Coordinates of all heavy atoms in Angstrom, one line a residue:
I17 N 42.5 108.1 130.2 CA 43.3 107.3 131.1 C 44.3 108.1 131.9 O 44.5 108.0 133.1 CB 43.9 106.1 130.4 CG1 42.8 105.1 129.9 CG2 44.9 105.4 131.3 CD1 43.3 104.0 129.0
L18 N 45.0 109.0 131.2 CA 45.9 109.9 131.8 C 45.3 110.8 132.8 O 45.8 111.0 133.9 CB 46.7 110.7 130.8 CG 47.7 110.0 129.9 CD1 48.2 110.9 128.8 CD2 48.8 109.4 130.7
T19 N 44.1 111.3 132.6 CA 43.3 112.1 133.5 C 43.0 111.3 134.8 O 43.2 111.8 135.9 CB 42.1 112.6 132.9 OG1 42.4 113.4 131.7 CG2 41.3 113.5 133.9
E20 N 42.6 110.1 134.6 CA 42.3 109.2 135.7 C 43.6 108.9 136.6 O 43.6 108.9 137.8 CB 41.8 107.9 135.2 CG 41.4 106.9 136.3 CD 40.1 107.3 137.0 OE1 39.3 108.1 136.5 OE2 39.9 106.9 138.2
C21 N 44.7 108.8 135.9 CA 46.0 108.6 136.6 C 46.4 109.8 137.4 O 46.8 109.7 138.5 CB 47.1 108.2 135.6 SG 47.1 106.6 134.9
I22 N 46.2 111.0 136.8 CA 46.5 112.2 137.5 C 45.6 112.4 138.8 O 46.1 112.8 139.8 CB 46.4 113.4 136.6 CG1 47.5 113.4 135.5 CG2 46.4 114.8 137.3 CD1 47.3 114.3 134.4
V23 N 44.3 112.1 138.6 CA 43.4 112.1 139.8 C 43.9 111.2 140.9 O 43.9 111.5 142.0 CB 42.0 111.9 139.3 CG1 41.1 111.7 140.5 CG2 41.5 113.0 138.5
C24 N 44.2 109.9 140.5 CA 44.7 109.0 141.5 C 46.0 109.5 142.2 O 46.1 109.4 143.4 CB 45.0 107.6 140.8 SG 43.6 106.7 140.3
Y25 N 46.9 110.0 141.4 CA 48.2 110.5 141.9 C 48.0 111.6 142.9 O 48.6 111.7 143.9 CB 49.0 111.0 140.7 CG 50.4 111.4 141.1 CD1 51.4 110.4 141.4 CD2 50.8 112.7 141.2 CE1 52.7 110.8 141.7 CE2 52.0 113.1 141.6 CZ 53.0 112.2 141.8 OH 54.3 112.5 142.2
N26 N 47.1 112.6 142.6 CA 46.9 113.8 143.4 C 45.9 113.6 144.5 O 46.1 114.3 145.6 CB 46.5 115.0 142.5 CG 47.7 115.4 141.7 OD1 48.8 115.4 142.1 ND2 47.4 115.8 140.5
Y27 N 44.9 112.8 144.4 CA 43.8 112.9 145.3 C 43.5 111.6 146.1 O 42.6 111.6 147.0 CB 42.5 113.3 144.6 CG 42.6 114.7 144.0 CD1 42.7 114.9 142.7 CD2 42.7 115.8 144.8 CE1 42.8 116.2 142.1 CE2 42.9 117.1 144.3 CZ 42.9 117.3 142.9 OH 43.1 118.5 142.4
I28 N 44.0 110.5 145.7 CA 43.8 109.3 146.4 C 45.0 108.9 147.3 O 46.1 108.6 146.8 CB 43.5 108.1 145.5 CG1 42.2 108.5 144.7 CG2 43.3 106.8 146.2 CD1 41.9 107.4 143.6
P29 N 44.8 109.0 148.6 CA 45.9 108.7 149.5 C 46.2 107.2 149.5 O 45.3 106.3 149.3 CB 45.4 109.1 150.9 CG 43.9 109.1 150.8 CD 43.6 109.4 149.3
G30 N 47.5 106.9 149.6 CA 47.9 105.5 149.7 C 48.2 104.8 148.4 O 48.5 103.6 148.3
V31 N 48.1 105.5 147.3 CA 48.4 105.0 146.0 C 49.9 105.1 145.7 O 50.4 106.2 146.0 CB 47.6 105.7 144.9 CG1 48.0 105.2 143.5 CG2 46.1 105.5 145.1
D32 N 50.5 104.1 145.2 CA 51.9 104.1 145.0 C 52.2 105.0 143.8 O 51.8 104.7 142.7 CB 52.4 102.7 144.7 CG 53.9 102.6 144.6 OD1 54.6 103.6 144.9 OD2 54.4 101.5 144.2
A33 N 52.9 106.1 144.0 CA 53.2 107.1 143.0 C 54.0 106.5 141.8 O 53.8 106.8 140.7 CB 53.9 108.3 143.6
E34 N 54.9 105.6 142.1 CA 55.7 105.0 141.0 C 54.9 104.1 140.1 O 55.1 104.1 138.9 CB 56.8 104.1 141.6 CG 57.9 105.0 142.3 CD 59.0 104.1 142.9 OE1 59.2 102.9 142.5 OE2 59.8 104.6 143.7
K35 N 53.9 103.4 140.6 CA 53.0 102.6 139.8 C 52.2 103.5 138.9 O 51.9 103.2 137.7 CB 52.1 101.7 140.6 CG 52.8 100.6 141.3 CD 51.9 99.7 142.0 CE 52.6 98.6 142.7 NZ 51.7 97.7 143.5
V36 N 51.7 104.6 139.5 CA 50.9 105.6 138.7 C 51.7 106.2 137.5 O 51.3 106.2 136.4 CB 50.4 106.7 139.6 CG1 49.7 107.8 138.7 CG2 49.4 106.2 140.6
L37 N 52.9 106.5 137.8 CA 53.8 107.1 136.8 C 54.2 106.1 135.7 O 54.3 106.4 134.6 CB 55.1 107.7 137.4 CG 54.8 108.9 138.3 CD1 56.1 109.4 139.0 CD2 54.2 110.1 137.5
A38 N 54.3 104.8 136.2 CA 54.6 103.7 135.2 C 53.5 103.5 134.2 O 53.7 103.4 133.0 CB 54.9 102.5 136.0
V39 N 52.2 103.5 134.8 CA 51.1 103.4 133.9 C 50.9 104.6 133.0 O 50.7 104.4 131.8 CB 49.8 103.3 134.8 CG1 48.5 103.3 133.9 CG2 49.8 101.9 135.5
M40 N 51.2 105.8 133.5 CA 51.2 107.0 132.6 C 52.2 106.9 131.5 O 51.9 107.2 130.3 CB 51.4 108.2 133.4 CG 50.2 108.6 134.4 SD 50.6 109.9 135.4 CE 50.4 111.3 134.3
N41 N 53.4 106.4 131.8 CA 54.4 106.3 130.7 C 54.0 105.2 129.7 O 54.2 105.4 128.5 CB 55.8 105.9 131.4 CG 56.4 107.1 132.1 OD1 56.2 108.2 131.7 ND2 57.2 106.8 133.1
E42 N 53.5 104.1 130.2 CA 53.1 103.0 129.3 C 52.0 103.5 128.3 O 52.0 103.3 127.1 CB 52.6 101.8 130.1 CG 52.1 100.7 129.3 CD 51.5 99.5 130.1 OE1 51.7 99.5 131.3 OE2 50.9 98.7 129.5
V43 N 51.0 104.2 128.9 CA 49.9 104.7 128.1 C 50.4 105.7 127.0 O 49.9 105.8 125.9 CB 48.7 105.3 129.0 CG1 47.7 106.0 128.1 CG2 48.1 104.2 129.8
T44 N 51.3 106.6 127.4 CA 51.8 107.6 126.5 C 52.6 106.9 125.4 O 52.5 107.3 124.2 CB 52.8 108.5 127.3 OG1 52.0 109.1 128.3 CG2 53.3 109.6 126.4
R45 N 53.3 105.8 125.7 CA 54.0 105.0 124.7 C 53.0 104.4 123.7 O 53.3 104.3 122.5 CB 54.9 104.0 125.3 CG 56.3 104.5 125.7 CD 57.2 103.4 126.1 NE 56.7 102.6 127.2 CZ 57.1 102.8 128.4 NH1 58.1 103.6 128.7 NH2 56.6 102.0 129.4
I46 N 52.0 103.8 124.3 CA 50.9 103.2 123.4 C 50.4 104.2 122.5 O 50.2 104.0 121.3 CB 49.8 102.6 124.3 CG1 50.3 101.4 125.1 CG2 48.6 102.2 123.5 CD1 49.4 100.9 126.1
D47 N 50.1 105.4 123.0 CA 49.5 106.5 122.1 C 50.5 106.8 121.0 O 50.0 106.8 119.8 CB 49.3 107.7 123.0 CG 48.7 108.9 122.2 OD1 47.7 108.7 121.4 OD2 49.3 110.0 122.3
S48 N 51.7 107.1 121.2 CA 52.6 107.4 120.2 C 52.9 106.3 119.2 O 52.9 106.5 118.0 CB 54.0 107.9 120.7 OG 54.6 106.9 121.4
E49 N 52.9 105.1 119.7 CA 53.1 103.9 118.8 C 52.0 103.7 117.8 O 52.2 103.6 116.6 CB 53.3 102.6 119.7 CG 53.3 101.4 118.9 CD 53.2 100.1 119.7 OE1 53.4 100.2 121.0 OE2 52.9 99.1 119.2
F50 N 50.7 103.8 118.3 CA 49.6 103.6 117.5 C 49.3 104.8 116.5 O 48.9 104.5 115.4 CB 48.4 103.2 118.3 CG 48.4 101.8 118.7 CD1 49.0 101.4 119.9 CD2 47.9 100.8 117.9 CE1 49.0 100.1 120.3 CE2 47.9 99.5 118.3 CZ 48.5 99.1 119.5
I51 N 49.6 106.0 116.9 CA 49.5 107.1 116.0 C 50.4 107.0 114.9 O 50.1 107.2 113.7 CB 49.7 108.4 116.8 CG1 48.6 108.7 117.8 CG2 49.7 109.6 115.8 CD1 47.2 108.8 117.3
K52 N 51.7 106.5 115.2 CA 52.6 106.3 114.1 C 52.2 105.2 113.2 O 52.4 105.3 111.9 CB 54.0 106.0 114.7 CG 54.7 107.1 115.3 CD 56.0 106.7 115.9 CE 56.6 107.8 116.7 NZ 57.9 107.3 117.5
R53 N 51.7 104.1 113.7 CA 51.2 103.0 112.9 C 50.1 103.3 112.0 O 50.0 102.7 110.9 CB 50.9 101.8 113.8 CG 52.1 101.2 114.4 CD 51.8 100.1 115.4 NE 51.0 99.0 114.8 CZ 50.5 98.0 115.5 NH1 50.7 97.9 116.8 NH2 49.7 97.1 114.8
I54 N 49.2 104.2 112.4 CA 48.1 104.6 111.6 C 48.6 105.3 110.3 O 48.0 105.1 109.2 CB 47.1 105.5 112.3 CG1 46.4 104.8 113.4 CG2 46.1 106.2 111.4 CD1 45.6 105.6 114.4
S55 N 49.6 106.0 110.4 CA 50.2 106.8 109.3 C 50.9 105.9 108.2 O 51.1 106.4 107.1 CB 51.1 107.9 109.8 OG 50.4 108.8 110.6

């Protein structure tokens, strides 16, 4: 998902950069939350 966000951010014109960064932050938080919960 992060790779897809980076591709959107860099190569797709007209995409709102703030929305892309917000999705990237959200997904990163999801990752850390669930990795902690597994332990």
Side-chain angles (χ1 to χ4, degrees):
I17 293 173
L18 289 175
T19 302
E20 184 71 25
C21 286
I22 291 169
V23 169
C24 286
Y25 184 80
N26 289 323
Y27 299 111
I28 298 177
V31 174
D32 188 11
E34 290 182 18
K35 289 183 181 180
V36 174
L37 295 175
V39 171
M40 290 175 74
N41 286 333
E42 179 182 349
V43 170
T44 304
R45 278 193 296 261
I46 290 170
D47 180 50
S48 63
E49 173 190 343
F50 280 91
I51 295 295
K52 287 177 188 175
R53 286 176 58 186
I54 289 171
S55 300

